[in-house]
C-alpha cells in the first residue's frame, strides 16, 4: 500500500525503483526501534549494576539458556522463512479453472 | 509512548541528521567540486541536476532529508503522536497568570488558502490546527539547526542584537512589530534587549500565539501583545511602528503575499523607520541553489523556491523603501557563511528604510 498523506497523497520518491524508497523506510524504522531498545537496555543494565543486583561481569559472560537459545533460533528461522519466496498456504495453481470449471 | 522512548527515538533522528548535515552533504559538495575541476568551469544548475540526480549518494541524501523529518514529526516516536497523547496535561503550558492580557485571538479567524494548502515543515496539520500545534512546533524547532545545539537561541539573539545596533537610536518606548512571530522565539530577544519597547507579535497560528503569550506572562514582560493577524493586513495603525521585523516569514508566503507584506510594513512604519527581516536567500553558488530547491520540495516549504526567484530588493524599492540591503548572516560566531563546509540555511538579512 502506498504511504499516504491526509488526503491520499503518495510519498515523494528518490530512487529509481520506488520499492527501494519503501525498503529504506522499513530499515530506518527498524534502526529507530533498535536505538530505542538499546537505550532502554543500557539504562536497565546501568541500574542493575548500580543497585548491585547484577555485576557487569555477569552481564558480559552470561549467555542465553537453552530455552532462550531456542527462542533466538526461532527468530532466525522466521527471518529466513520470510525471505524464501514460498507461499504459506496452498495457493491456486495456474490451471485450476481448467481442472474445476 | 513512554517519555524515555520518545527521547531516545528523537535522539536517534538527531544523531542521523547531524551526520547528514556534515558527512553526506560534504560528500556531495566535494563531488561537485571535483566535477567542476574536471570540466574546467563551474557547474551550472542544470549540470548539477544531470550530474547528481542519478547519483546514489544524492538519492540517499535526499531520501534522508525527507524521511528523517517525516519520522521526527510522524514516526512511532514522533513529535505529533507524543504531544497528541498528552494534549490535556500539556495544555497547562499554554496558559499562565496574565497571559490573557497579552493575547488577542480573532473570532472565526479565516486562515489564508495558501497556508492551509500544505503542512509546513511536514508538521502534520501545520503549526496552527490543533491545541498542541505550537508546542509541537516549539519542540521541533529546537533541532532545526542541528549544528547549533538544542537551544537554537543564539541565532535569534544575534539577529536582534544586529538589528538594534544598526537601526540607529530608537525612542525609549519604541513600537516594535514582529511579523510571523510563531511561538515568540524571534520576539523574545527584542523584549529582552529593548526592555522599554512596546512590542507586538502577529501570527496566523493561535496555538503558537498562546504559547508566546504564556511565556511572556511567566517572564513578567509588560507592554507586549501577541495578536492573531495576517502579516499582509495586520490591523496596526498607519505610521505607528518604529521597527518592523520578521524571522523566517518571507519564505513561508507566496510572492503575492510577500509583496503585500512589504506594502503593509511600509505603510505602518513611521517615516524614517526600518524594516529588517531574516530569511533564506543569498546562495553561494549553483550547488547551494540545487540543495535548497530540493529542500523546499522535501521539507514542504514550496514558497522558499519561489522566493529564490524573486528580486526582493526591487520589490522593496517598488513599495517605496530605500537603503535596501541584503547581507549574509552568520547564525553563530564560529560560522563564516562563505566557507562553512557543512549544510546550513542561507541566512540573509533584508534591511530597508522608509524615507524620513
Ligand atoms: C518558520 S515560522 C517562524 C516563527 C518565528 N518568527 C521564529 O523565528 O521562531 C514562520 C511563521 O510565520 C507564520 N506565518 C505564515 N504566513 C503568515 C502570514 N501571512 N501572516 C502572519 N504569520 C504568518 C507561521 O504561522 C509561522 O508561525
Amino acid at each position: 500500500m502506498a504511504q499516504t498523506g491526509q488526503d491520499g497523497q503518495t510519498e515523494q520518491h528518490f530512487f529509481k525503483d520506488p520499492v527501494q524508497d519503501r525498503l529504506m523506510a522499513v530499515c530506518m524504522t527498524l534502526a529507530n526501534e533498535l536505538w530505542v531498545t538499546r537505550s532502554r537496555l543500557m539504562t536497565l543494565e546501568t541500574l542493575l549494576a548500580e543497585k548491585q543486583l547484577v555485576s557487569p561481569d555477569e552481564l558480559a559472560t552470561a549467555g542465553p539458556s537453552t530455552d532462550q537459545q531456542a527462542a533466538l533460533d526461532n527468530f532466525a528461522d522466521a527471518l529466513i522463512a520470510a525471505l524464501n519466496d514460498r507461499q504459506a498456504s496452498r495457493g491456486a495453481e495456474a490451471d485450476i479453472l481448467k481442472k474445476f470449471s | 509512548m513512554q517519555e524515555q522512548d520518545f527521547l531516545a527515538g528523537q535522539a536517534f533522528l538527531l544523531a542521523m541528521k547531524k551526520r547528514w548535515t556534515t558527512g553526506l552533504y560534504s560528500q556531495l559538495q566535494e563531488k561537485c567540486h571535483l566535477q567542476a575541476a574536471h570540466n574546467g568551469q563551474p557547474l551550472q544548475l542544470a549540470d548539477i541536476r544531470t550530474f547528481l540526480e542519478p547519483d546514489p549518494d544524492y538519492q540517499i541524501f535526499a531520501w534522508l532529508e525527507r524521511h528523517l523529518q517525516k519520522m521526527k514529526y510522524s514516526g512511532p516516536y514522533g513529535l505529533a503522536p507524543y504531544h497528541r497523547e498528552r494534549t490535556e496535561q500539556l495544555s497547562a503550558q499554554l496558559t499562565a497568570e496574565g497571559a490573557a492580557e497579552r493575547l488577542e485571538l480573532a473570532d472565526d479567524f479565516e486562515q489564508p488558502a495558501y497556508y492551509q494548502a500544505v503542512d509546513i515543515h511536514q508538521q502534520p496539520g501545520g503549526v496552527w490546527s490543533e491545541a498542541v500545534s505550537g508546542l509541537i512546533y516549539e519542540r521541533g524547532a529546537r533541532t532545526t539547526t542541528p549544528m547549533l545545539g538544542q537551544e537554537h537561541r543564539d541565532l535569534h539573539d544575534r539577529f536582534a542584537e544586529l538589528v538594534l545596533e544598526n537601526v540607529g537610536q530608537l525612542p525609549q518606548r519604541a513600537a516594535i512589530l514582529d511579523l510571523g512571530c510563531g511561538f515568540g522565539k524571534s520576539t523574545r530577544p527584542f523584549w529582552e534587549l529593548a526592555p522599554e519597547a512596546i512590542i507586538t507579535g502577529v501570527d496566523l497560528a493561535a496555538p503558537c500565539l498562546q504559547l508566546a503569550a504564556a511565556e511572556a506572562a511567566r517572564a513578567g514582560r509588560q507592554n507586549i501583545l501577541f495578536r492573531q493577524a495576517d502579516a499582509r493586513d495586520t490591523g496596526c495603525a498607519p505610521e505607528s511602528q518604529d521597527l518592523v521585523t520578521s524571522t523566517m516569514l518571507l519564505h513561508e508566503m507566496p510572492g503575492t503575499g510577500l509583496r503585500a507584506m512589504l506594502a503593509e510594513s511600509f505603510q505602518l512604519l513611521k517615516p524614517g523607520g526600518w524594516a529588517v527581516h531574516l530569511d533564506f536567500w543569498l546562495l553561494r553558488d549553483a550547488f547551494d541553489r540545487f540543495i535548497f530547491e530540493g529542500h523546499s520540495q522535501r521539507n514542504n516549504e514550496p514558497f522558499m523556491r519561489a522566493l529564490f526567484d524573486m528580486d526582493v530588493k526591487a520589490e522593496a524599492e517598488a513599495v517605496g523603501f530605500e537603503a535596501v540591503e541584503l547581507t549574509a548572516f552568520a547564525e553563530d560566531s564560529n560560522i563564516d557563511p562563505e566557507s562553512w563546509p557543512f549544510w546550513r540555511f542561507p541566512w540573509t538579512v533584508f534591511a530597508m528604510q522608509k524615507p524620513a
Side-chain angles (χ1 to χ4, degrees):
Chain A
M1 203 181 76
Q3 286 181 307
T4 53
Q6 276 176 337
D7 41 14
Q9 295 160 311
T10 302
E11 185 49 277
Q12 296 181 17
H13 297 139
F14 303 95
F15 298 105
K16 225 192 282 165
D17 178 353
V19 170
Q20 291 171 330
D21 289 81
R22 301 192 208 181
L23 283 175
M24 275 284 281
V26 171
C27 291
M28 214 33 89
T29 305
L30 285 175
N32 199 358
E33 283 302 334
L34 188 59
W35 179 294
V36 169
T37 307
R38 286 185 68 160
S39 300
R40 275 196 172 215
L41 213 54
M42 285 190 284
T43 309
L44 203 61
E45 289 183 357
T46 309
L47 287 175
L48 287 174
E50 267 173 22
K51 293 184 190 299
Q52 299 187 339
L53 294 170
V54 177
S55 74
D57 273 356
E58 281 173 301
L59 280 174
T61 50
S65 67
T66 316
D67 282 355
Q68 286 167 336
Q69 186 56 54
L72 289 173
D73 290 342
N74 282 342
F75 180 53
D77 289 343
L79 275 183
I80 290 295
L83 289 174
N84 73 2
D85 206 27
R86 311 299 301 166
Q87 300 193 28
S89 60
R90 186 178 181 82
E93 299 293 345
D95 59 354
I96 192 164
L97 291 182
K98 264 197 215 135
K99 280 190 188 155
F100 308 103
S101 52
Chain B
M1 181 189 324
Q2 298 220 15
E3 185 76 21
Q4 85 252 37
D5 290 351
F6 165 70
L7 293 174
Q10 290 284 321
F12 164 75
L13 298 173
L14 183 58
M16 296 299 290
K17 188 70 187 275
K18 281 188 177 150
R19 283 153 182 79
W20 174 91
T21 302
T22 53
L24 294 187
Y25 170 85
S26 307
Q27 184 185 15
L28 294 180
Q29 195 181 38
E30 179 63 18
K31 272 192 180 182
C32 284
H33 285 160
L34 288 174
Q35 185 65 19
H38 174 78
N39 294 359
Q41 56 186 15
L43 299 182
Q44 303 301 310
L45 186 56
D47 304 328
I48 297 183
R49 285 200 187 110
T50 317
F51 177 56
L52 280 187
E53 277 172 359
D55 184 314
D57 288 332
Y58 172 68
Q59 292 172 352
I60 286 172
F61 170 88
W63 187 94
L64 281 172
E65 181 170 39
R66 173 87 186 160
H67 284 264
L68 291 177
Q69 182 82 351
K70 179 180 187 176
M71 290 171 80
K72 171 173 161 175
Y73 283 102
S74 304
Y77 304 106
L79 292 158
Y82 171 85
H83 285 83
R84 282 173 183 161
E85 275 176 23
R86 292 163 171 76
T87 298
E88 222 169 289
Q89 76 206 68
L90 291 175
S91 301
Q93 290 182 31
L94 299 174
T95 52
E97 209 184 309
E101 295 113 67
R102 293 164 174 87
L103 181 66
E104 203 179 293
L105 298 182
D107 296 331
D108 302 327
F109 190 77
E110 176 103 30
Q111 297 293 355
Y114 83 81
Y115 191 64
Q116 298 185 51
V118 58
D119 286 347
I120 202 87
H121 312 146
Q122 295 196 62
Q123 177 172 335
V127 301
W128 60 275
S129 68
E130 298 171 56
V132 287
S133 298
L135 293 169
I136 296 177
Y137 176 37
E138 188 279 328
R139 190 78 183 228
R142 295 186 204 173
T143 49
T144 305
T145 48
M147 302 302 287
L148 289 188
Q150 288 276 313
E151 279 308 321
H152 174 211
R153 248 187 90 177
D154 275 3
L155 182 165
H156 290 85
D157 289 338
R158 284 170 67 83
F159 174 61
E161 269 166 26
L162 182 92
V163 172
L164 293 172
E165 268 166 28
N166 283 279
V167 297
Q169 190 66 40
L170 286 176
Q172 207 186 16
R173 294 179 62 73
I176 300 179
L177 175 64
D178 184 17
L179 297 172
C181 62
F183 56 88
K185 196 171 196 167
S186 50
T187 327
R188 175 184 273 272
F190 284 97
W191 52 260
E192 285 175 346
L193 293 166
E196 301 296 322
I198 297 163
I199 297 190
T200 311
V202 303
D203 202 285
L204 299 168
C208 292
L209 293 162
Q210 285 170 328
L211 183 56
E215 296 220 326
R218 277 193 281 271
R221 179 56 156 99
Q222 304 293 328
N223 296 321
I224 192 154
L225 182 66
F226 289 98
R227 192 149 54 77
Q228 190 174 27
D230 194 315
R232 300 169 298 175
D233 180 13
T234 59
C236 293
E239 306 201 348
S240 60
Q241 304 297 313
D242 295 283
L243 172 64
V244 173
T245 180
S246 78
T247 301
M248 296 183 280
L249 169 68
L250 275 47
H251 78 273
E252 294 206 359
M253 316 175 109
T256 47
L258 176 56
R259 281 183 202 106
M261 186 280 275
L262 288 171
E264 169 74 357
S265 54
F266 186 83
Q267 74 121 10
L268 50 81
L269 273 172
K270 294 178 189 168
W274 284 88
V276 192
H277 307 284
L278 181 62
D279 221 285
F280 313 131
W281 203 76
L282 287 170
L283 299 161
R284 290 173 300 189
D285 52 19
F287 178 74
D288 275 3
R289 174 87 186 207
F290 174 75
I291 290 294
F292 281 96
E293 285 191 357
H295 175 78
S296 169
Q297 165 84 9
R298 296 188 281 267
N299 210 41
N300 288 6
E301 304 196 62
F303 308 120
M304 184 186 288
R305 182 177 182 157
L307 178 66
F308 297 146
D309 285 328
M310 270 180 96
D311 183 345
V312 184
K313 186 169 193 286
E315 298 289 351
E317 285 167 351
V319 303
F321 281 111
E322 54 184 31
V324 183
E325 256 189 64
L326 277 60
T327 40
F329 173 75
E331 65 276 32
D332 187 87
S333 54
N334 295 328
I335 292 178
D336 172 4
E338 273 310 303
S339 60
W340 185 247
F342 306 133
W343 190 99
R344 68 179 279 277
F345 283 114
W347 295 102
T348 304
V349 175
F350 303 71
M352 54 198 76
Q353 189 174 26
K354 181 168 176 169

